[in-house]
């Protein structure tokens, strides 16, 4: 865990405001970490609060501070405003004393909230990267934007006149890095297709940091830290739903709200769509929405509102698959099993384990299959997200003849 103090804090004691700075600020942060029910080893907290050379008495000071400030400040306080956790913590390493550029890749399935997370982090880090931020949507699945075009945009944003922008990618990249050499800038590259699209846009300078969002993991980028957000926990999903439809509607139908978030697979995009429909139709109950989503054959039809559509989001990943990987996706979706091993892929395709395993890896890389653990033999197990499974079955029924589907299931059984 990484965190930092965000400047002077103010609390009240006996009705009078108290400015908390320096040692008292450290003590308050220690208390807030404990108040937030975070299990943080004292030594880790000491290292984070004092830096590389804590005084010999630091451990005792933290322990004493926790007890003392519990008594002084009572039960109030929360950690959300004073703690930066990963992946933001990674970017904070590119602070004034940083020695290398930091690149964080936020990777995950469509609709998981990668862009929202990146935008939130960029907002929280405005004061750290004081010379500004550069943002571009690289449109991985909607007409890929070439790096040369992005660099031209960035150079204009930095202040280079259009006529002074070089013509070649290499010259633009060189000018871009030269102009950022003395600046502290956060570069946000949203919806990246692959490492080749990203690499020319990396400043490569210790004063800068880069946030990348992509459905691919982009492990080819040197030194990149990978962050993979998963679907929401049930409580988080209910909170998101309440933010959209209003907390009073969620409180009025707690059972229906819980059923609704599960029907949406706790996927942020699906919850936003279901919530937007309910917000637009205040006369609908949450129970009415769960009845509409109960039919799995129509669920993806229901999870569409305006320009938001779960099926379209899944189709972007599906279109990038090879024909063989698509066929494997189709046939695996026919299994009535919560998870499966790689050998099942070989069975449904009637092929050797090696080629089948490579195709399964393609599905995992495309965020259409999840790795959910290992079996007793140490082999990985795979599963579908609920909404991905519905989409894959749609494609299977459209593309695979009944005889082929039956033969694949027979081989697996």
């Amino acid at each position: 865990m990484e965190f930092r103090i965000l400047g002077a804090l103010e609390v009240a004691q006996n009705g009078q405001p108290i400015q908390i700075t320096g040692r008292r600020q450290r003590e308050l942060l220690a208390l807030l970490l404990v108040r937030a029910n975070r299990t943080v080893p004292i030594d880790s907290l000491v290292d984070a609060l004092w830096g590389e050379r804590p005084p010999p008495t630091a451990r005792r000071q933290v322990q004493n501070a926790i007890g003392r400030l519990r008594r002084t400040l009572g039960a109030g306080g929360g950690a959300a405003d004073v703690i930066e956790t990963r992946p933001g913590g990674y970017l904070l390493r590119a602070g004034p004393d940083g020695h290398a550029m930091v690149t964080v890749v936020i990777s995950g399935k469509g609709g998981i909230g990668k862009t929202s997370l990146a935008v939130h982090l960029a907002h929280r880090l405005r004061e750290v990267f004081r010379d500004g931020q550069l943002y571009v949507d690289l449109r991985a699945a909607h007409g890929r934007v070439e790096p040369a075009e992005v660099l031209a945009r960035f150079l204009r944003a930095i202040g280079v006149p259009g006529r002074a922008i070089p013509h070649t990618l290499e010259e633009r990249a060189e000018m871009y890095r030269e102009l950022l050499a003395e600046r502290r800038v956060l570069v946000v590259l949203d919806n990246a297709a692959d490492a080749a699209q990203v690499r020319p846009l990396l400043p490569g300078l210790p004063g800068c940091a880069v946030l990348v969002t992509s459905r691919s993991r982009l492990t080819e980028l040197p030194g990149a830290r990978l962050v993979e957000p998963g679907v929401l926990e049930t409580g988080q999903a209910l909170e998101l739903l309440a933010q959209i439809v209003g907390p009073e509607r969620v409180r009025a139908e707690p059972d229906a709200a819980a059923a609704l978030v599960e029907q949406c697979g706790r996927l942020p995009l699906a919850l936003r769509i279901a919530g937007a429909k309910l917000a637009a139709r205040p006369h609908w109950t949450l129970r009415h929405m769960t009845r509409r989503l109960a039919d799995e054959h129509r669920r993806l039809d229901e999870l569409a509102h305006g320009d938001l559509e779960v099926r379209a989001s899944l189709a972007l990943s599906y279109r990038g698959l090879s024909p063989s990987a698509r066929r494997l996706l189709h046939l695996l979706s026919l299994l009535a099993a919560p998870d499966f091993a790689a050998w099942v892929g070989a069975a449904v395709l009637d092929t050797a384990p090696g080629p089948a395993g490579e195709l399964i890896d393609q599905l995992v890389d495309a965020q259409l299959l999840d790795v959910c653990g290992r079996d007793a033999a140490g082999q990985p197990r795979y599963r579908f997200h609920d909404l991905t499974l519905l989409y894959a079955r749609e494609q299977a029924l459209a593309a695979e003849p009944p005889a082929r589907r039956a033969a694949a299931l027979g081989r697996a059984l």
Side-chain angles (χ1 to χ4, degrees):
M1 175 178 293
E2 299 185 16
F3 39 82
R4 68 183 180 111
I5 302 172
L6 301 181
L9 305 173
E10 185 174 298
V11 298
Q13 183 180 19
N14 299 326
Q16 299 297 318
I18 305 172
Q19 286 292 324
I20 306 295
T21 58
R23 179 178 61 81
R24 296 291 303 278
Q25 193 175 47
R26 290 172 175 165
E27 294 173 346
L28 180 60
L29 179 55
L31 173 66
L32 293 180
L33 283 165
V34 174
R35 286 266 174 234
N37 294 319
R38 294 176 180 269
T39 303
V40 182
I42 289 292
D43 289 338
S44 297
L45 188 54
V46 167
D47 290 344
L49 295 176
W50 270 271
E52 296 182 357
R53 295 183 179 179
T57 59
R59 182 183 178 90
R60 186 172 67 253
Q61 288 182 41
V62 170
Q63 291 172 323
N64 293 341
I66 290 171
R68 183 167 60 252
L69 283 174
R70 274 202 179 109
R71 297 188 294 272
T72 302
L73 299 177
D81 293 331
V82 296
I83 298 172
E84 290 283 0
T85 59
R86 296 177 180 176
Y90 282 135
L91 292 167
L92 290 171
R93 289 179 181 172
D97 299 324
H99 298 293
M101 188 196 73
V102 175
T103 302
V104 172
V105 176
I106 303 174
S107 173
K109 56 174 57 68
I112 204 71
K114 301 181 293 296
T115 297
S116 297
L117 176 58
V119 170
H120 172 75
L121 287 171
H123 176 75
R124 294 289 300 272
L125 294 165
R126 284 181 302 175
E127 293 183 5
V128 177
F129 298 95
R130 58 182 179 271
D131 293 320
Q133 300 177 359
L134 295 169
Y135 171 89
V136 65
D137 183 354
L138 294 174
R139 300 177 60 82
H142 296 284
R144 170 191 178 111
V145 182
E146 294 302 322
E149 180 183 344
V150 176
L151 287 171
R153 295 185 197 176
F154 283 176
L155 290 172
R156 283 192 292 269
I158 294 170
V160 178
R163 63 182 179 277
I165 295 175
H167 294 290
T168 69
L169 172 64
E170 292 75 13
E171 290 173 328
R172 290 178 181 183
E174 183 179 353
M175 176 180 285
Y176 167 67
R177 294 184 179 110
E178 287 178 354
L179 291 173
L180 294 186
E182 302 300 326
R183 307 189 192 200
R184 295 192 48 72
V185 172
L186 175 63
V187 180
V188 182
L189 307 175
D190 197 16
N191 292 317
D194 50 42
Q197 188 185 30
V198 169
R199 199 173 287 111
L201 307 177
L202 302 178
L205 303 163
C208 299
V210 182
L211 260 178
V212 187
T213 73
S214 178
R215 298 193 185 198
S216 301
R217 291 177 173 84
L218 305 185
T219 53
E220 311 94 314
L221 293 177
R225 277 80 160 182
L226 179 63
V227 176
E228 296 190 276
V231 296
L232 300 175
E233 299 292 338
T234 298
Q236 296 171 324
L238 288 169
E239 183 178 350
L240 175 59
L241 181 64
Q243 290 174 0
I244 301 170
V245 306
E248 64 285 346
R249 294 176 77 178
V250 172
R251 286 196 297 266
E253 298 183 85
D255 292 341
L260 179 59
V261 301
E262 293 305 320
Q263 288 173 325
C264 292
R266 290 178 276 122
L267 185 73
L269 175 61
L271 286 164
R272 286 176 57 200
I273 293 170
K277 281 191 165 184
L278 287 164
R281 299 169 177 85
H283 57 286
W284 280 14
T285 63
L286 271 64
R287 179 64 61 192
H288 175 73
M289 191 69 203
T290 62
R291 286 196 292 267
R292 296 178 69 95
L293 293 174
D295 183 356
E296 292 187 348
H297 298 291
R298 289 190 45 79
R299 187 173 298 173
L300 294 181
D301 294 328
E302 291 290 340
L303 290 176
H305 184 73
D307 62 346
L308 300 177
E309 187 177 348
V310 170
R311 183 184 281 111
S313 176
L314 291 167
L316 296 179
S317 298
Y318 178 78
R319 287 200 292 266
L321 297 175
S322 67
S324 297
R326 289 185 186 182
R327 185 177 173 222
L328 177 58
L329 183 78
H330 300 162
L331 299 179
L332 288 174
S333 73
L334 303 175
L335 300 170
D339 56 67
F340 51 87
W343 65 260
V344 176
V348 297
L349 284 177
D350 195 18
T351 188
E358 292 175 2
L359 293 175
I360 285 180
D361 287 341
Q362 285 188 36
L363 298 179
V364 172
D365 292 342
Q367 305 287 347
L368 293 170
L369 271 186
D370 299 323
V371 180
C372 61
R374 293 185 177 275
D375 59 23
Q379 299 300 311
R381 307 282 300 181
Y382 304 91
R383 69 181 172 204
F384 285 97
H385 182 270
D386 292 348
L387 299 180
T388 305
L389 178 61
L390 296 181
Y391 178 81
R393 284 179 177 166
E394 283 185 356
Q395 302 307 310
L397 294 176
E400 307 295 337
R404 184 183 297 171
R405 301 199 302 266
L409 282 175
R411 287 190 298 270
L413 294 173

